[in-house]
């Protein structure tokens, strides 16, 4: 299991060819209380940078982007009735989707935890 981060404040936990994706604690903190989450289920053949979901908080709405190329396997079913899980546990039970990686070489361009910590200061 390896953890990666993007400049757009998504995290990926990679296990074999599958990545679990969510937004970082930093992003969740900046958004505030999240009140709505919608996964773009029509975007199955994802390219890096495609919008895959929308989160809305009391402050703003924000797109979530595919951190790498892949295919959505499933969304987090717990978020449908409980989107505040993203605010409360963004890097745990608030995960958003699982995807099969179709271009693992793209992982080399993502950040590790130390590099992400340096990015957000």
């Amino acid at each position: 299991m390896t953890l990666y981060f993007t400049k757009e404040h998504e995290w990926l936990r990679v296990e074999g060819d599958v990545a679990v994706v969510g937004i970082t604690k930093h992003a969740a903190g900046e958004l505030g209380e999240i009140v709505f989450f919608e996964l773009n289920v029509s975007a199955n053949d994802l390219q890096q940078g495609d919008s895959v979901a929308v989160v809305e908080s009391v402050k703003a709405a924000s797109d979530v982007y595919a951190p790498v190329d892949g295919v959505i396997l499933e969304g987090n079913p717990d978020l449908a009735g409980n989107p505040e899980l993203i605010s409360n546990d963004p890097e745990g039970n608030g995960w958003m989707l699982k995807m099969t990686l179709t271009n693992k070489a793209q992982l080399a361009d993502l950040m590790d935890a130390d590099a992400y910590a340096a990015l957000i200061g």
Side-chain angles (χ1 to χ4, degrees):
M1 176 177 79
T2 305
L3 197 60
Y4 298 92
F5 297 88
T6 71
K7 292 178 182 173
E8 290 75 30
H9 309 287
E10 290 100 9
W11 59 265
L12 297 78
R13 186 178 59 238
V14 176
E15 301 168 0
D17 290 334
V18 174
V20 180
V21 179
I23 62 171
T24 65
K25 291 178 185 176
H26 173 77
E30 292 293 312
L31 285 169
E33 182 183 345
I34 293 174
V35 295
F36 177 78
F37 169 77
E38 182 176 65
L39 182 66
N40 183 1
V41 292
S42 65
N44 266 342
D45 188 15
L46 302 171
Q47 301 299 306
Q48 187 177 40
D50 286 351
S51 176
V52 294
V54 174
V55 292
E56 290 182 24
S57 72
V58 294
K59 293 181 179 177
S62 182
D63 287 329
V64 178
Y65 301 100
V68 290
D69 295 354
V71 177
I72 294 176
L73 294 173
E74 67 174 307
N76 183 345
D78 296 334
L79 297 181
N82 199 9
E84 63 272 15
L85 270 176
I86 299 168
S87 301
N88 298 335
D89 191 13
E91 296 181 14
N93 292 328
W95 63 272
M96 296 178 172
L97 61 105
K98 292 182 181 178
M99 61 187 295
T100 299
L101 304 174
T102 57
N103 185 356
K104 289 181 84 170
Q106 292 172 325
L107 295 172
D109 296 330
L110 302 179
M111 293 178 277
D112 63 15
D114 290 340
Y116 182 71
L119 175 75
I120 61 174

